[in-house]
Amino acid sequence: MAGRRRRRRGHPRQARPPPLPSPGEPFQLESNALREVAVAESSSKKTCHALICTRSSAPSPDVWADLLDSLLLQIIVLVSSFHDLLAFIGTCRSWRAVLSSLPPLFTFNIPPLHLRPDGYDSHPHRRYIKHSLLSNISWQLVDPAKQTSSLSCSAPQKLQVHMQYLGCSYGYLIFSNMEQCLLVNVYSGATMRPPKLKFTDNRNVYYGALVAPINLSNSRLLFCSRSSMFQWQVGSDFWSEHPLGVQCIVQIVSFKGEIFAIDFLQRLHRIPLEPQLSMQEVLVVWDADMFLGLWNAPWLVVCGDMLLLVDFSVSIDPFSRLSGTFNVFRLDFQVEPAKWVKVDDLGDNALFVSFDRRNPTFSCLGPEKWGGKRNCIYIANPSVDSNERWSVVEVGQVVLDPKLCTNSAEKNLPRAPSRQLQSLWELPSFVYGVGQ
């Protein structure tokens, strides 16, 4: 592929917008049981457009289209934000073709987008809140590398149905109201409807997660209730139920081809999907000083070839003032049993979390390339009296913000998770597995 020139295919338009994904173009899957509804969005709402050079001295489109593939691959490696990625996609057809030819395991080293729902509720755990009417749900997407522009998205207006929020993964928001399930694309607003969930315990489902990008053949959607885990293989027309046998699962992540989960008691589990879904506890040594606060709220975060546990320990002083500290631990699989080892410095990495642990977590290498900070935790929720969309805290730094400490304490209480969509980090679905 390297060193080979592509044949010219006419003169591509300089102002061609990014084609992935097209809000008006249906997403094809293998089963008729799936249905996607395209969202009619006016172009005026989409403000996160690709950069277009308008100077009269700019090279002609043919110059860009005829670049060697080897040079284009070097440009792809330099992409450091979603805004840069859109600019690459919008350059010309041959550049998009190179992007589509990338291997399936290729991942972009870019920060996730910040999703903030419109009509944000600062008290999402209030008991009287009912399921949300999906047609009323809308949100803003902001690239941390270009905070001056945003993308307005919403669920289709025809969805006159009340559902509760179950989680987000691989570019899709996940909703359910017992039997009915719905996946909503965070970037285009298009929806996908899995088959009905017809089980006795479906009314107790509180968490949903995809274990792989939706366009992969091995992708599955998992639902968790207090006593069971339900599995739907994307493209099939049925669900299967599996007894859970563990405490409440609070987070599921994919790491090196395996599925890991952490439960409410902070025990780690493997979830093999073949020959059938099961739960296997991973024996892990915990140091006595790992959790010293009154409340502890750990997240699992995949960072390169490391599986990290990010803990926010909250304490209270004699004057009833709350304070918290972020600590990071790396799971060492080289010893048996495995052991959590403290990481004092993340190096040239930044991590991204949100207070609802059903939401995805991310890491980003070299955050200073897009104006970010190394060795820091980016929290999707803003701090008190702040005009910022999110909070940034250095690893090991003492946090005196009462709002962050209180949110952390609330999410660790043994009660039902929020039914509402809250601020989170996510990447559009087409960023995952671009070579598929």
Side-chain angles (χ1 to χ4, degrees):
M1 176 173 165
R4 176 169 54 85
R5 291 183 180 272
R6 293 183 176 274
R7 180 181 302 174
R8 293 187 185 179
R9 297 182 178 179
H11 297 270
R13 300 176 184 174
Q14 278 186 292
R16 184 186 298 272
L20 292 174
S22 171
E25 182 175 302
F27 183 73
Q28 299 297 328
L29 287 176
E30 300 174 356
S31 171
N32 291 330
L34 306 182
R35 185 166 61 91
E36 181 179 82
V37 181
V39 182
E41 294 186 16
S42 63
S43 58
S44 60
K45 287 186 177 182
K46 293 202 174 258
T47 54
C48 279
H49 294 310
L51 292 174
I52 301 299
C53 182
T54 59
R55 293 179 299 176
S56 59
S57 60
S60 67
D62 291 339
V63 175
W64 300 118
D66 286 343
L67 283 181
L68 296 175
D69 290 345
S70 57
L71 292 178
L72 290 179
L73 291 176
Q74 294 182 43
I75 295 175
I76 291 174
V77 173
L78 296 177
V79 170
S80 60
S81 70
F82 182 70
H83 190 72
D84 290 346
L85 179 60
L86 289 183
F88 187 97
I89 293 173
T91 300
C92 63
R93 188 173 302 171
S94 64
W95 285 38
R96 292 195 293 275
V98 170
L99 196 69
S100 300
S101 67
L102 293 174
L105 295 180
F106 181 86
T107 55
F108 289 98
N109 184 44
I110 61 177
L113 302 181
H114 182 262
L115 185 153
R116 179 183 174 92
D118 296 327
Y120 178 74
D121 186 358
S122 60
H123 301 283
H125 293 282
R126 288 180 293 191
R127 293 292 184 180
Y128 59 81
I129 294 178
K130 298 181 179 181
H131 293 183
S132 301
L133 182 64
L134 287 190
S135 61
N136 292 341
I137 295 179
S138 59
W139 58 91
Q140 302 288 324
L141 292 176
V142 175
D143 185 353
K146 189 175 177 59
Q147 301 181 34
T148 57
S149 60
S150 63
L151 173 68
S152 298
C153 305
S154 64
Q157 294 299 304
K158 64 175 63 177
L159 290 177
Q160 299 294 317
V161 58
H162 288 82
M163 289 190 172
Q164 66 170 326
Y165 175 71
L166 297 183
C168 179
S169 51
Y170 293 103
Y172 283 89
L173 302 171
I174 304 169
F175 297 91
S176 175
N177 63 352
M178 294 188 289
E179 284 192 3
Q180 300 287 343
C181 315
L182 199 69
L183 277 64
V184 181
N185 190 299
V186 300
Y187 184 78
S188 69
T191 63
M192 179 188 305
R193 194 182 298 275
K196 290 185 177 181
L197 184 66
K198 298 182 178 180
F199 293 96
T200 305
D201 199 34
N202 62 2
R203 66 177 60 251
N204 296 317
V205 169
Y206 63 89
Y207 177 30
L210 290 163
V211 300
I214 203 76
N215 58 330
L216 297 185
S217 58
N218 64 341
S219 182
R220 289 170 170 83
L221 177 62
L222 301 181
F223 276 5
C224 297
S225 72
R226 302 295 177 181
S227 59
S228 299
M229 182 173 287
F230 305 95
Q231 176 185 207
W232 172 59
Q233 184 164 359
V234 176
S236 68
D237 57 0
F238 64 92
W239 290 81
S240 57
E241 182 178 12
H242 309 269
L244 199 53
V246 299
Q247 276 286 343
C248 171
I249 296 296
V250 296
Q251 188 187 3
I252 296 174
V253 299
S254 299
F255 176 64
K256 291 185 175 181
E258 294 188 282
I259 312 301
F260 289 88
I262 189 169
D263 65 23
F264 183 75
L265 298 179
Q266 300 170 2
R267 295 176 300 189
L268 189 66
H269 305 269
R270 276 190 178 92
I271 307 180
L273 301 176
E274 301 292 347
Q276 65 178 8
L277 188 148
S278 61
M279 297 283 292
Q280 302 172 357
E281 184 174 355
V282 179
L283 296 179
V284 180
V285 175
W286 300 76
D287 287 341
D289 59 347
M290 281 188 67
F291 304 116
L292 298 178
L294 294 177
W295 305 293
N296 302 97
W299 295 263
L300 294 176
V301 183
V302 176
C303 182
D305 61 352
M306 299 183 296
L307 181 60
L308 303 179
L309 184 141
V310 178
D311 175 63
F312 187 55
S313 297
V314 178
S315 303
I316 186 169
D317 65 15
F319 300 97
S320 300
R321 292 176 300 193
L322 296 175
S323 65
T325 306
F326 278 98
N327 295 299
V328 180
F329 304 87
R330 170 181 60 86
L331 188 59
D332 184 1
F333 285 104
Q334 302 301 318
V335 296
E336 194 170 335
K339 181 180 180 180
W340 290 112
V341 180
K342 188 171 183 180
V343 178
D344 294 319
D345 194 302
L346 291 172
D348 197 21
N349 287 288
L351 306 181
F352 298 80
V353 302
S354 59
F355 279 124
D356 189 338
R357 279 183 283 180
R358 299 173 300 176
N359 295 329
T361 56
F362 296 89
S363 65
C364 183
L365 178 64
E368 293 177 348
K369 292 187 298 183
W370 48 267
K373 297 180 180 179
R374 60 176 296 278
N375 193 40
C376 284
I377 312 292
Y378 282 73
I379 309 146
N381 309 70
S383 58
V384 65
D385 298 328
S386 173
N387 293 325
E388 301 294 331
R389 296 182 175 91
W390 51 79
S391 308
V392 184
V393 179
E394 188 173 355
V395 173
Q397 172 187 345
V398 176
V399 179
L400 300 177
D401 191 305
K403 183 176 181 180
L404 295 182
C405 294
T406 302
N407 282 339
S408 174
E410 284 185 350
K411 86 182 189 67
N412 202 44
L413 293 176
R415 61 185 176 190
S418 170
R419 296 176 177 178
Q420 282 195 317
L421 175 65
Q422 303 178 57
S423 294
L424 57 91
W425 302 103
E426 184 55 296
L427 284 170
S429 59
F430 69 87
V431 175
Y432 299 99
V434 293
Q436 293 300 312

